[in-house]
Amino acid sequence: MGYTDKDWLAINTIRILAADATFNANSGHPGAPMGMAPVAHVLFNKFMKFNPKNPNWVNRDRFVLSNGHGCMLQYALLHLFGYALTLDDIKNFRRVDSITAGHPEAHDTPGVEVTTGPLGQGISNAVGLAMAQAHTAATFNKDGFPLIDNYTYCFLGDGCLMEGVSSETSSLAGHLQLGNLIAVYDDNHISIDGDTNCAFTEDVVKRYESYGWHVVIVDDGDNDLEGIEKAIKECQEVKNKPSLIKLKTTIGFGSLQQGTHSVHGSALKADDIKQLKQKFGFNPEQSFVVPQDVYDQYHKHAAEGAAAEEEWNKLFASYATKYKAEHDDLARRLTGALPEGWEKNLPVYTPADAAVASRKLSEIVLTKIEGILPELVGGSADLTGSNLTRWKGAVDFQPESTGLGTYAGRYIRFGVREHGMGAIMNGMAAYGTIIPYGGTFLNFVSYAAGAVRLAALSQVRQIWVATHDSIGLGEDGPTHQPIETLAHFRALPNCMVWRPADGNETSGAYYVALTSKHTPSIIALSRQNLPQLEGSTVEKTLKGGYVLHEAEGAQVTLVSTGSEVCICIDAVKELAEKHNIKARVVSIPCFEVFDAQSKEYRLSVLPDGIPSLSVEVMSTMGWERYTHEQFGLNRFGASGAYKDVYKKFEFTPEGVAKRAIATIDFWKDVPNIRSPINRAFQQII
Amino acid sequence: MGYTDKDWLAINTIRILAADATFNANSGHPGAPMGMAPVAHVLFNKFMKFNPKNPNWVNRDRFVLSNGHGCMLQYALLHLFGYALTLDDIKNFRRVDSITAGHPEAHDTPGVEVTTGPLGQGISNAVGLAMAQAHTAATFNKDGFPLIDNYTYCFLGDGCLMEGVSSETSSLAGHLQLGNLIAVYDDNHISIDGDTNCAFTEDVVKRYESYGWHVVIVDDGDNDLEGIEKAIKECQEVKNKPSLIKLKTTIGFGSLQQGTHSVHGSALKADDIKQLKQKFGFNPEQSFVVPQDVYDQYHKHAAEGAAAEEEWNKLFASYATKYKAEHDDLARRLTGALPEGWEKNLPVYTPADAAVASRKLSEIVLTKIEGILPELVGGSADLTGSNLTRWKGAVDFQPESTGLGTYAGRYIRFGVREHGMGAIMNGMAAYGTIIPYGGTFLNFVSYAAGAVRLAALSQVRQIWVATHDSIGLGEDGPTHQPIETLAHFRALPNCMVWRPADGNETSGAYYVALTSKHTPSIIALSRQNLPQLEGSTVEKTLKGGYVLHEAEGAQVTLVSTGSEVCICIDAVKELAEKHNIKARVVSIPCFEVFDAQSKEYRLSVLPDGIPSLSVEVMSTMGWERYTHEQFGLNRFGASGAYKDVYKKFEFTPEGVAKRAIATIDFWKDVPNIRSPINRAFQQII
């Protein structure tokens, strides 16, 4: 309370920085920063606790700009508070190789918690951050040691509210009673197509109340700083509900075009910026000006944040004396490293072990490692019994009042919300104390494509337990049988797509997924049983691809993944016994990891001089990179018992053998067959 | 009203058929059919108007089973009413090559309107069906000729409500005041993970009211047939709002396990089925029994439907005498054929024409053809000014009370709801009178992956106007720049992915998209300007790929799409002038269409004896199918002016030439270079 001209000077500085930067870039979105500068000023200075010199302090308040196109607001704040983001960086807004990209990117810009821009993601990441906070607090806080009590704040716009992913995660946030989550809805009545009344006339207040949120309305977000402060305070006091502040603002406040969609997505005109500066008492001939007084105010608050961290560090040190194990666990988790020797818990198998569905193998891994990896927290999108994602004795992550679990619980009931689950995992991973995993059918990871993409782009560790990974799911039929899904995510940069063939490969997939700190993984797992293979090991799996079955004088290499590897092994017998043909078998459970091996190694797996045939019951797209010929399914599947479906499409030892023979025949006249591993030049990666 | 034992006999027949079929298949979902049999009985017999002998009658009431796993309910109804679905088909439930797949498939099963199972899609399709109904009614109905007045009914469960796509489309349905849409929410409190209170505790009534729906609650959906009838009647009377009936039911009603999740997704035990049959007065030793009396009841209603269609046919014939043009237009649309000569409206270009962004070329096509193709109805997911999807003078599809348009309007404001837009387009296309199109950035088609997949599977014609198709969008940066998107949808069966290089190719893409009655299309379009190419024609484009630039004695073939084709043309000059190398250029705007050409033709485009290099600024995945070497971008892009971004990644004539030289060099020692078009065996398609 007690706002003065100094506050308005800061607010107007932010507005003008946004106008200058977008003008300078001739691109960008000035409207939202200009409209939301007042609430940002109040929130960041009166409420938020953070230390710009250490953007990774675990108990900092988190801020998410879900309407990421308004990123000049965030960049201006980061700059003013003294994060490692200079005025030159703001002058380089939206330029190649700057740290001020067109939308905020967490891995590039210090102080940006999560990568936003694709609408609906940020608010959903915020739900994940708040869940991680609640879980971490419940796990580590002790009497007298409130180690973790940060808030998660999020700004979002109409677009975020229209996207379905925000509905999924907001509904779950209400169910979970996430009191430390406070979102500010920029109710400016404008989207790209103009007035929101053309497509978005729902009652947002009522909708969020229906989810179980606390909702406050602030009528004049342009001027009423006291009202904003009061609203945030009120929300902080509501401990058992997330809060939404519906804040009425004027988009592009101060511009001659304020309140219209013309200030949404393009720079203001030069004249408009001039009058804006004059109106706010700035020199219209100067650009990128920050009054020293504004720096002083903001640096003062930053210093308070640094002091708060220092206090916290003391608290944490004293926690160490009393709760050594917990202290060390949290400290370790914050480094992203796993406990030494954890990998000894990964199960290994021999061919004498029983055939098991790889979804079950995944369950065994989770069961064996959950004890030593307390940071493993996850669940399923309402397919627990099918995904087998819940170890025996797991406690649900639930508010106590439900009687179904506690916040310290590590098993999340995501509901039928795949996209929300993905975006929540992104937020949970960003919090820094958790490795999230989420289960669904492989086919429905596609529902979450927008979130998986951001996981890859923002380089977060997370694991998709993607069961029912092919036509092998059988009766559920084509609506549920993935054809394009592996190709889709294999084409996504920095995303590991695993399709293990047996128990050792499943353990290997988890090993790499868990130790890759900056890459999400999708582990595709079978519904049907798979035998434990002769020749597979965890170690070989770590290379992404390896020779499973070598054969002196082989005439063809069969290259496969997952449930088709054992069919290839049977095809080898078929070829030997009925056709006197020798074949070798290669398993490539993960393209991304195999591609990262040396050329020498890859050529040893897929050598020159021998034709190769890939075998995978889905789209052949991408297999041409490794093999000369491809046996796959470039059509939709069929509903029926899985063996009947495999038979219909000839994914049998006989069907593979037939195509192996065709491959040998087709390549027999080619001298010096070249392995596809040989390329004319290096890819840009 | 006045329900008797006859009604209960029918209801219990449906329940037992569902139990028998899932038991026989040892797979499937008996719970929902058993719980929803009462409402289905009332709805289909007391309200719905349809003719099983002609499932395509345009004014039939539409029924969508959004909880598609409950498909035995739908199959039982179709059978009892006399659709072309026999008791043997029900015995073959979930068997390979049956018409009774594990989830309902529209293209396979007569009487199934849309393909459902992936949750949230059906209710969204229903919104599309209701929008199509409102539009078709507004377009064709005249005083005394209520040609189109059907209702759209939809059953949905908790899972559908949890999925974000249902939120998107339900919000839009409320905004659009779709009075002829009536949805029944099966409030059985059970999902796969158990009681819905573990993840889904929102207030659904309040949520739907917030969207502007009319909501009625029926407390006893198991027994209160009168209450169900009254609720549906009430909803029919609400003309300016869609309606939701929250119907409390007991999942698996009659089973010993009723009300638990164990009846959700697996067959009942033999003993349980026995007691069920006894309880309902059926012979416990017999299976798949339909009492003749049930057939009689249902066939009587079917006959009323047939009579209604006959009446309608008379009305339509009399309409012809008074409104000949409208009659002929509607009759034509129902065949799916386009007006003769429509294609003459497609613009053609010569190299003398100006360079234009292909998103703008798309706008020109829409503008030129909208007059002759009144069935073209579409819009954008709040990116109208960027997608350029709205022709000048278009009228918005809006309820009159908004003052923003009319139901006869053909431009839809979808809001920021890509997934919903896709699912709505699926419903609109299924209605039979409309060719829907929808605009968004290519990157955000991924948000709609679930709906696009169903478009391809269910074989509907629809067009995605997917602009900003590459790093060429520039400043918005990596969050918006597609890398994996084309590979993803190219791997999807029966989906055409177009990436035209200039005006003639854009016209060609639209020609194929509009004339392919059973295939969705994604047309990827540039933000940046592209020159009109020497050698491109609409006709050549129709083959999906063609030789754009031939060169006698060429040493390399450059193969490209979209905005990189003109860079390849410049690279040809660079290679000739600076390196004395001859190169030819092939454009492949659509893999799916090119693949369908004869091998002879494809080999003429990509011949033996010459190495080839693909050039496309995104994932190289899939290009190995056509070319020996690939120049692409297997990483995320960058935020900056588009020319700077292209330069950063060397997508310049020099960068292409460098790689062309490397390609020639790498392949120079290989005798008889084989075109990748040659394959050892045919793919299963």
Side-chain angles (χ1 to χ4, degrees), chain A residues 201-249:
Chain A
T201 50
E202 63 178 42
D203 182 339
V204 171
V205 170
K206 194 166 178 177
R207 174 177 146 203
Y208 269 75
E209 285 176 352
S210 82
Y211 296 146
W213 286 51
H214 176 73
V215 184
V216 192
I217 299 174
V218 175
D219 273 324
D220 183 3
D222 297 328
N223 301 293
D224 184 9
L225 303 184
E226 279 84 3
I228 292 169
E229 185 178 335
K230 200 164 141 266
I232 298 173
K233 208 164 262 164
E234 175 184 325
C235 294
Q236 284 193 338
E237 278 155 23
V238 176
K239 299 293 181 199
N240 64 345
K241 287 181 176 189
S243 291
L244 183 79
I245 299 172
K246 181 173 134 132
L247 182 78
K248 293 192 191 166
T249 71

Side-chain angles (χ1 to χ4, degrees), chain A residues 97 163-164 168 171 193 202 382 384 418 453 476 481 624-625 630 648 666 674 679 683, chain B residues 94 97 163-164 168 171 193 202 382 384 418 453 476 481 624-625 630 648 666 674 679 683:
Chain A
D97 297 328
E163 291 287 5
E168 296 179 7
S171 175
D193 270 17
E202 63 178 42
D382 194 45
T384 296
E418 299 82 7
R453 184 174 212 276
D476 273 346
Q481 293 166 344
E624 298 90 346
R625 186 175 294 174
Q630 297 80 36
K648 174 181 170 73
F666 186 72
R674 234 184 209 182
R679 316 303 298 181
Q683 292 296 325
Chain B
R94 293 190 153 218
D97 297 329
E163 290 287 5
E168 297 180 7
S171 175
D193 270 17
E202 63 178 44
D382 195 47
T384 297
E418 299 82 7
R453 184 173 212 276
D476 273 345
Q481 293 165 346
E624 297 91 347
R625 187 174 295 175
Q630 298 79 35
K648 175 182 170 72
F666 186 73
R674 233 182 210 183
R679 315 303 297 184
Q683 292 297 324

